[in-house]
Amino acid sequence: MRVTLQSLSSTIQSQLSELTARQAQQQTRIATGQRLLQLSDAPTDIADIVSYRSMIARMQRYSSTLDQALAEQNTAEGALESISSTLSAIQTLGVDALQIANQDKWRTLAVQLRSNIEAIIEAANATHGDIYVFAGTKNTASVLVPSPPETTQRPFELVTTTPTASNPSGLEVRFKGNIEPRTVQTGDASAEQVSTTADKIFGAGGTALFDTLIALYNTLAYNSDGTPRADGQIPSPDQLENVSSLVKQIADASATVNATTAELGIRTNRMTSLQSQLQEDITRQREFLSRLTDTDVAQATMQLQRDQIAYEYSLKVGARLLNLSLFDFLQ
Amino acid sequence: MIRSLEIGKRALLASQRGLDVTSNNIANVNTPGYARQAISLRPGESIPVGGTMLGMGVLVTNIRQFRDQLIERDVRTYTATQSYYQQSQTIFQRIEAALGEPGDQTIQTALQQFFDAASELASNPSRMANRQLFVARAADLASQFNRVSSAIADLRSSTADRTSQDIERVNQLLAKLAGINQQINATLDSSGQPAPSLVDQQHQALEELSAYLDISVTRTATGTVNVSSGGMMLVSLDSSLKLRVEKNLDSSSGATTLRITAQKQDGTSVGTLSPGSGELAALIEHYNVTLNPAAPSSQFSVARELDRLASAFADRVNTIAAGGYGLSDSGPTPPGRPIFTAAGGGPLSAGTIQLNPALASDPGLVPTASAPGEPGNNAVMSAIAALASDSSFLDTLTPEGYYGSITAQLADRGAGASDRLSAAKATLNQINQERQSLSGVNLDEEATNLITYQRAFEAAARVVTVTSDMLSTIVNLGR
């Protein structure tokens, strides 16, 4: 085969150009850490890469949702513990009221009980950020509009209404929220309830427990005819029986609160465990993605080195081949 | 003696012609399209002298070019193929750049951020900061769709411009070939052969033309060529057709397509030309299909697929949002407020999708709740966030999955163009080597020829000198 100057030079040029392009490519891969510089570098991997990225983004989203849900549940858990502890104190107060030695102190005990009821209401109005955790989906001040005698934009409020025979103090706890649960997505096909509804804690309508507590208060603070109890006045047998019955109801309510707290704890554990699982999955998926998208620096460096050597020798050989012709030897 | 002088003269002339051709070869060693030349020699007619036949030296019959028409045809075929895939690869790379792939500023990233914001808002729908973030992410997503759509429309427009420029050059080349045909017929040598320089120019023009379209060349006995493409005769002797790019508007879809039409120099229409291969074929194919938002669904169009994704996404989100209430909404019937609207009121597409302006000015209006007056109700926003994993979103894929299928198809086609370009380049390179092997100038060879003709010239000159001396001796015999 005849070899001409032009074929020689075009071959050398295309080889040098190819080697330069390859070096530039390896250099970019090392500098950016990215194996794929364009989609067509690995067409078979693109669908997998998009899929891994999508999966990682979704898992991070669920993890972030769980973070927020756990923070809210921690607040709810704290409030429930406070409610439970106050209910225990009320139970003790009720039992104390039944003791003969304390039967002349019901008026004082009633004052303590009211203070405890207010403490429970305070705990029931616990907030996480700007939301009330036990108010269902009507959980911000903007929609908790008070109607007289209510005065606050909080979900639970102790108000005083017109006294009646059955409620001589006129005390009443109003609940302005609702008992709709709030759920969030924690997986492609799974959701978790993040809110604890008021009926699960305080019974029917979110106020049943308060009705019991106010009934106890009325029994301790008022006589059967609705007149305020005088200091040192001894209660009637009916009233003692009533207190006994109410203390039992409070004990049952306290058990319900404890069960709800336990349920919340179980849910929190489940979420914590799910989050750990998600973190592990994210790490694993990132590793798979990295294998597809990231540069193997050692391999790229070796390839760059090989290309540099080839380039250097191509230049040397090309220069020699193109340097001499028969004309150099003609006299 | 006179015969010897004639033989010497012929040898001198032959050597001189040989030196001329060698010099011309050396001068054109780097001239594109040049095919080396050589003189053809034959012995002079023998004449009877004293009962024997005596040769009368050497004669130059013609100057021949080393060119193989089969190789030239292959060069043109693979030049067209290479140009087609080169242009396709360029367009696919520009589409990839428009999509921002592989990178961080992509539609996929914007989709992820939209769903992140929706999920965040579902976690706490009453929080104004979450609503503002959701509105910002929805606007970002719409603007990503707009940006990519606009970049693809720009690419389509520049593809049309490039087609017009190419057609202009093709017309110049067709006219040039017709002109060369005319010159060849006017300057045939005594043996009926065309001037080598005209043949070189002809081949160069044909090779350049083949980069634009797939051509078929028929050569006549005198060296003129007829050029056709897609069954249409473009150059015939000294006449050539004039090509034009026309835009056709499809009244039903509102989309335009390109086509090449041909007309005679007097303006008579000849018909539509299908370039078959070459740069023009690639440009027209990508303008009419890959970049055409109204391309038939049987062919892959990145513009149509992005429009489909954008409109399906907006429709699904809006359908869910239609049943939702914002923070201040009341009444038994939801306000039916969409998240996305179409700019200008037209149909929703990647180019027109935008955030509902009402939401931009008041994020509290973002429909998140399934019932009025419940700021903590996240049912609607949760359903929007759940779209991220809805595998029945479009063609049994999630929104990101569908976007992934677009990029995968794009990557596949880009890689296909790249692979075929490499193959065409390698083949063309090999054919060019074969052509160089036959037609290229080898300087060592020419240097040898130079010495050969120099020595032959010296020897012929010596023959003339010796003959002259002998003649002189004879002339001086009588003195």
Side-chain angles (χ1 to χ4, degrees):
Chain A
M1 186 177 179
R2 287 176 73 250
V3 178
T4 65
L5 185 67
Q6 222 176 45
S7 66
L8 207 58
S9 64
S10 68
T11 304
I12 291 168
Q13 269 177 14
S14 69
Q15 283 169 349
L16 288 175
S17 163
E18 175 73 17
L19 285 167
T20 310
R22 268 162 49 185
Q23 284 179 82
Q25 201 173 44
Q26 293 303 340
Q27 170 63 29
T28 311
R29 282 188 172 137
I30 292 167
T32 60
Q34 297 292 314
R35 182 175 75 94
L36 301 183
L37 304 179
Q38 52 188 28
L39 290 180
S40 48
D41 282 349
T44 50
D45 293 339
I46 294 300
D48 288 341
I49 289 169
V50 170
S51 169
Y52 281 131
R53 281 183 183 157
S54 172
M55 211 182 297
I56 291 167
R58 282 210 303 279
M59 288 191 292
Q60 282 176 327
R61 204 171 295 141
Y62 299 140
S63 176
S64 165
T65 301
L66 284 170
D67 259 346
Q68 292 180 43
L70 283 169
E72 185 180 334
Q73 294 201 158
N74 279 341
T75 305
E77 217 169 318
L80 281 177
E81 278 168 13
S82 168
I83 290 167
S84 176
S85 150
T86 310
L87 282 177
S88 294
I90 291 172
Q91 273 180 268
T92 309
L93 183 146
V95 172
D96 284 350
L98 294 173
Q99 304 295 319
I100 296 172
N102 296 325
Q103 287 179 359
D104 57 345
K105 296 171 187 155
W106 276 26
R107 191 175 164 78
T108 311
L109 291 173
V111 173
Q112 277 182 31
L113 175 59
R114 178 167 177 154
S115 164
N116 285 333
I117 292 170
E118 284 169 355
I120 290 175
I121 289 171
E122 194 59 35
N125 283 329
T127 57
H128 176 68
D130 54 357
I131 64 167
Y132 290 100
V133 292
F134 300 128
T137 56
K138 288 181 75 175
N139 57 3
T140 60
S142 61
V143 290
L144 301 172
V145 184
S147 59
E150 297 160 8
T151 55
T152 69
Q153 288 184 287
R154 305 172 91 195
F156 294 91
E157 184 177 353
L158 182 65
V159 296
T160 307
T161 58
T162 312
T164 60
S166 60
N167 183 6
S169 66
L171 290 177
E172 192 181 317
V173 171
R174 298 273 179 90
F175 176 52
K176 299 189 276 277
N178 64 22
I179 53 170
E180 294 299 322
R182 279 183 296 116
T183 55
V184 290
Q185 211 178 352
T186 53
D188 286 351
S190 59
E192 278 284 357
Q193 185 176 328
V194 287
S195 62
T196 303
T197 52
D199 59 334
K200 290 271 186 190
I201 310 164
F202 305 116
T207 54
L209 172 62
F210 292 109
D211 293 342
T212 309
L213 294 177
I214 287 167
L216 179 61
Y217 172 79
N218 283 334
T219 310
L220 293 178
Y222 294 90
N223 295 313
S224 304
D225 59 2
T227 56
R229 184 180 303 283
D231 284 337
Q233 187 180 338
I234 301 299
S236 67
D238 284 351
Q239 285 180 315
L240 283 168
E241 195 179 326
N242 193 20
V243 168
S244 174
S245 164
L246 289 167
V247 167
K248 191 173 177 310
Q249 285 178 40
I250 290 165
D252 290 345
S254 182
T256 303
V257 170
N258 288 339
T260 304
T261 309
E263 197 181 301
L264 187 63
I266 290 165
R267 203 193 300 156
T268 302
N269 280 345
R270 194 166 57 232
M271 285 183 176
T272 308
S273 148
L274 182 59
Q275 199 179 35
S276 303
Q277 182 64 43
L278 278 172
Q279 289 303 330
E280 279 175 27
D281 286 349
I282 289 169
T283 307
R284 204 164 30 244
Q285 300 294 343
R286 276 193 177 143
E287 200 180 315
F288 291 142
L289 179 63
S290 168
R291 282 183 204 164
L292 293 177
T293 59
D294 294 351
T295 306
D296 180 339
V297 177
Q299 193 186 39
T301 309
M302 289 305 292
Q303 185 61 47
L304 181 62
Q305 189 70 35
R306 278 201 293 271
D307 289 342
Q308 277 175 339
I309 291 168
Y311 183 69
E312 194 180 320
Y313 279 90
S314 290
L315 282 174
K316 281 183 182 172
V317 171
R320 282 199 173 187
L321 279 175
L322 297 174
N323 195 31
L324 290 177
S325 80
L326 189 55
F327 286 99
D328 295 296
F329 302 98
L330 291 181
Q331 294 299 315
Chain B
M1 285 296 151
I2 300 302
R3 277 196 304 272
S4 295
L5 273 179
E6 178 60 23
I7 291 170
K9 186 191 85 179
R10 286 182 176 186
L12 281 173
L13 286 174
S15 300
Q16 266 182 356
R17 192 64 67 85
L19 278 170
D20 290 345
V21 170
T22 304
S23 311
N24 191 42
N25 283 342
I26 292 169
N28 285 293
V29 65
N30 291 324
T31 307
Y34 179 79
R36 73 187 166 106
Q37 299 167 11
I39 53 168
S40 297
L41 301 175
R42 72 169 175 82
E45 295 81 9
S46 300
I47 56 167
V49 177
T52 58
M53 297 300 284
L54 182 66
M56 280 302 290
V58 65
L59 288 173
V60 176
T61 51
N62 68 335
I63 296 171
R64 64 193 169 96
Q65 277 192 301
F66 289 84
R67 204 183 280 282
D68 183 330
Q69 295 305 332
L70 202 63
I71 292 177
E72 296 296 336
R73 194 193 65 187
D74 284 353
V75 166
R76 287 193 295 271
T77 304
Y78 282 97
T79 300
T81 309
Q82 178 184 296
S83 298
Y84 174 85
Y85 288 117
Q86 180 75 63
Q87 191 58 47
S88 288
Q89 189 198 40
T90 305
I91 288 174
F92 281 124
Q93 281 174 347
R94 288 185 63 186
I95 295 172
E96 285 179 22
L99 285 170
E101 293 286 359
D104 295 330
Q105 295 302 311
T106 64
I107 289 175
Q108 188 188 13
T109 317
L111 277 169
Q112 285 171 359
Q113 288 175 341
F114 173 84
F115 286 124
D116 286 348
S119 178
E120 191 92 0
L121 182 54
S123 292
N124 188 350
S126 59
R127 193 163 173 245
M128 196 47 79
N130 287 357
R131 288 178 171 270
Q132 283 162 344
L133 179 70
F134 176 80
V135 164
R137 294 305 189 207
D140 284 350
L141 175 60
S143 106
Q144 270 293 351
F145 272 120
N146 297 160
R147 185 190 63 75
V148 174
S149 174
S150 163
I152 287 174
D154 286 348
L155 177 57
R156 192 166 186 242
S157 169
S158 70
T159 303
D161 292 345
R162 178 69 183 258
T163 308
S164 298
Q165 287 167 13
D166 282 3
I167 288 291
E168 208 169 300
R169 181 63 188 147
V170 166
N171 283 333
Q172 288 171 0
L173 289 168
L174 294 177
K176 185 178 178 180
L177 283 164
I180 291 172
N181 278 348
Q182 202 174 11
Q183 278 181 285
I184 284 175
N185 276 333
T187 58
L188 290 173
D189 68 9
S190 54
S191 62
Q193 292 300 305
S197 62
L198 286 174
V199 177
D200 286 342
Q201 284 179 43
Q202 188 186 61
H203 276 281
Q204 214 178 339
L206 285 170
E207 196 174 326
E208 191 183 342
L209 185 63
S210 66
Y212 295 104
L213 31 91
D214 189 21
I215 54 170
S216 174
V217 178
T218 319
R219 193 168 292 278
T220 66
T222 57
T224 60
V225 289
N226 294 327
V227 182
S228 60
S229 178
M232 184 181 285
M233 190 64 75
L234 301 176
V235 178
S236 176
L237 288 178
D238 58 352
S239 69
S240 62
L241 295 183
K242 195 169 166 58
L243 304 183
R244 278 178 47 184
V245 191
E246 283 182 7
K247 276 187 180 174
N248 292 329
L249 179 66
D250 181 347
S251 54
S252 59
S253 66
T256 54
T257 51
L258 288 185
R259 66 172 184 170
I260 300 173
T261 58
Q263 58 184 40
K264 291 180 182 170
Q265 295 297 334
D266 61 7
T268 316
S269 175
V270 179
T272 305
L273 171 70
S274 172
S277 185
E279 190 171 306
L280 279 171
L283 287 168
I284 287 182
E285 183 183 311
H286 289 297
Y287 184 94
N288 290 348
V289 181
T290 315
L291 303 169
N292 183 3
S297 57
S298 56
Q299 293 165 304
F300 174 72
S301 159
V302 68
R304 186 198 59 229
E305 292 302 310
L306 283 173
D307 280 350
R308 193 165 175 233
L309 173 62
S311 68
F313 184 78
D315 283 345
R316 286 291 299 275
V317 170
N318 287 346
T319 304
I320 298 168
Y325 293 85
L327 283 180
S328 53
D329 291 324
S330 57
T333 313
R337 195 175 294 124
I339 304 287
F340 296 107
T341 56
L348 271 164
S349 67
T352 61
I353 187 173
Q354 65 169 11
L355 172 72
N356 181 354
L359 303 185
S361 53
D362 181 5
L365 296 176
V366 172
T368 50
S370 58
E374 293 185 14
N377 184 327
N378 62 2
V380 168
M381 196 43 65
S382 286
I384 290 176
L387 262 184
S389 54
D390 181 357
S391 57
S392 63
F393 167 72
L394 205 56
D395 295 350
T396 66
L397 292 165
T398 63
E400 284 181 68
Y402 193 79
Y403 175 76
S405 79
I406 298 174
T407 51
Q409 287 187 74
L410 196 60
D412 193 37
R413 278 166 171 76
S418 204
D419 291 347
R420 288 180 184 95
L421 174 62
S422 298
K425 268 184 177 170
T427 311
L428 186 58
N429 189 40
Q430 196 178 344
I431 297 167
N432 267 324
Q433 292 290 344
E434 278 179 43
R435 180 164 71 168
Q436 273 295 312
S437 173
L438 176 70
S439 308
V441 176
N442 182 321
L443 283 180
D444 293 338
E445 203 174 82
E446 298 305 327
T448 314
N449 286 342
L450 210 57
I451 297 166
T452 307
Y453 291 125
Q454 186 190 4
R455 294 294 175 225
F457 186 87
E458 282 171 7
R462 187 71 187 149
V463 168
V464 173
T465 309
V466 169
T467 310
S468 171
D469 288 350
M470 286 169 73
L471 271 172
S472 176
T473 306
I474 291 168
V475 169
N476 291 325
L477 272 177
R479 290 187 181 179

